[in-house]
Amino acid sequence: MREPQENPIKEAWILCLILGLIMINFPFIHIFNTTTPVFGIPGLVLYFFIGWPLSILVIWIFVHQMEKKPRNHSTPENRKEL
C-alpha cells in the first residue's frame, strides 16, 4: 500500500515555477510580440504588465491558503508515548 505524500506543497511550488518559466519562454513571447498595439500599448508590454502581477497574485493566494491549512504535528517522531 502506498503511503500518503508528506509534502504536496513542494510539488505545487515546483508546478508554479515550471508554469512561470513556460509563461516567459518563446511560444508565449512570440504570440504576444505583435506590431499592432492594444489601447496604444504594444502587446508584449501589455502581456508582461498583466502577466507578472497576475502570477504574483496566484502565488499570494497559494501562500495565503497554505497558512490557513491546519498543520498536523502528530507524526511518530513528535509524539511522546507515556
Side-chain angles (χ1 to χ4, degrees):
M1 181 183 269
R2 286 178 67 182
E3 293 183 22
Q5 291 179 334
E6 292 182 20
N7 199 356
I9 295 170
K10 181 178 178 182
E11 292 176 2
W13 277 113
I14 291 172
L15 180 64
C16 285
L17 174 69
I18 291 171
L19 290 175
L21 290 174
I22 289 171
M23 191 175 111
I24 61 170
N25 267 317
F26 173 72
F28 289 98
I29 299 295
H30 185 69
I31 290 170
F32 290 100
N33 192 15
T34 61
T35 57
T36 57
V38 178
F39 302 115
I41 303 171
L44 188 60
V45 173
L46 194 62
Y47 173 68
F48 282 126
F49 279 144
I50 292 174
W52 189 264
L54 187 63
S55 65
I56 291 171
L57 178 68
V58 167
I59 291 171
W60 179 81
I61 291 171
F62 181 70
V63 169
H64 188 67
Q65 291 298 323
M66 281 181 9
E67 290 174 353
K68 281 185 176 181
K69 182 180 176 183
R71 295 185 179 154
N72 186 4
H73 293 292
S74 64
T75 58
E77 297 86 33
N78 293 338
R79 273 190 257 162
K80 293 182 181 178
E81 301 212 14
L82 299 175

